[in-house]
Amino acid sequence: MNDEAIETPDEVVAYWCETLTAKDWWQSAPALDVHVTERFAATHLALSRGVTPPWRASPEARLAAIIVLDQFPRNMYRASPMAFATDWIARREARLALDAGADKLVGFDRRHFFYMPFEHSEVLADQDLSIALFEAHGDEMYLDYAQRHHEVIAQYGRFPHRNAFLGRVSTPEEEAYLTKPGAGF
């Protein structure tokens, strides 16, 4: 793998938080997915192998690592098991960042990315933490999403919309849920 293909934490944050908008983050766009893959796949692979000290050197670097491990795979590997493969690493890095107080040292408009790995988890304790973090954060939109994610995990123990991608068989209750408007985030 070519080291030149590995982006720096500053480049990740500049791209995700300054070049893109919130609309880009939350809307499925094939062209964006292709661009994220072309530009950041090598960076994602490198961090999946090991988060090195430069990615923990500052609050912004920690933010970048979480974006690479939690957000980018959802673009790069949409509708595949790979979209969730580094979630556990993202949660570990988010916990380390929270322990270091990094979330409080970045701008309010970026802070939610430290909390999203817990919202993406299929573990109820992580969902509980997500709710607490988003309540303290004070942004009603993000809290609403966290509460909706929590409700799904509390009810089903997993995200039913991932079942097809992960080769899991949906229960009749999950199939009924998936027919509802807005199911699956």
Side-chain angles (χ1 to χ4, degrees), residues 6 12 14 33 65 73 110 126 135 137 154-155 164-165 185:
I6 307 298
V12 168
D33 292 351
R110 298 176 180 188
D126 291 335
E135 283 177 344
H137 182 50
Q155 182 165 357
F165 309 131
F185 308 103

Side-chain angles (χ1 to χ4, degrees), residues 82-142:
M82 291 295 296
F84 319 110
T86 56
D87 281 6
W88 71 273
I89 307 169
R91 279 191 304 280
R92 181 194 67 204
E93 293 304 308
R95 281 188 182 91
L96 291 170
L98 294 175
D99 289 347
D103 59 317
K104 304 294 191 237
L105 300 173
V106 301
F108 180 84
D109 61 334
R110 298 176 180 188
R111 199 169 293 164
H112 58 277
F113 289 113
F114 287 100
Y115 312 147
M116 294 186 77
F118 306 107
E119 180 181 307
H120 291 152
S121 175
E122 291 187 324
V123 175
L124 190 56
D126 291 335
Q127 290 293 324
D128 293 340
L129 177 56
S130 168
I131 294 292
L133 292 166
F134 280 112
E135 283 177 344
H137 182 50
D139 184 300
E140 290 300 316
M141 180 193 74
Y142 287 115

Side-chain angles (χ1 to χ4, degrees), residues 7-16 18 39 54-55 58 60-61 64:
E7 301 279 341
T8 67
D10 288 343
E11 290 167 328
V12 168
V13 171
Y15 174 74
W16 194 251
E18 296 165 17
R39 182 167 174 191
W55 293 90
S58 71
E60 291 285 328

Side-chain angles (χ1 to χ4, degrees), residues 9 28-29 35 44 54 63 72 91 103 116 125 143 153 155 180:
S28 174
H35 186 261
H44 177 259
L63 172 65
F72 285 175
R91 279 191 304 280
D103 59 317
M116 294 186 77
L143 177 58
I153 296 302
Q155 182 165 357
K180 296 179 183 175

Side-chain angles (χ1 to χ4, degrees), residues 142-157:
Y142 287 115
L143 177 58
D144 176 63
Y145 275 100
Q147 290 169 331
R148 291 193 292 153
H149 282 74
H150 186 281
E151 289 169 8
V152 171
I153 296 302
Q155 182 165 357
Y156 302 106

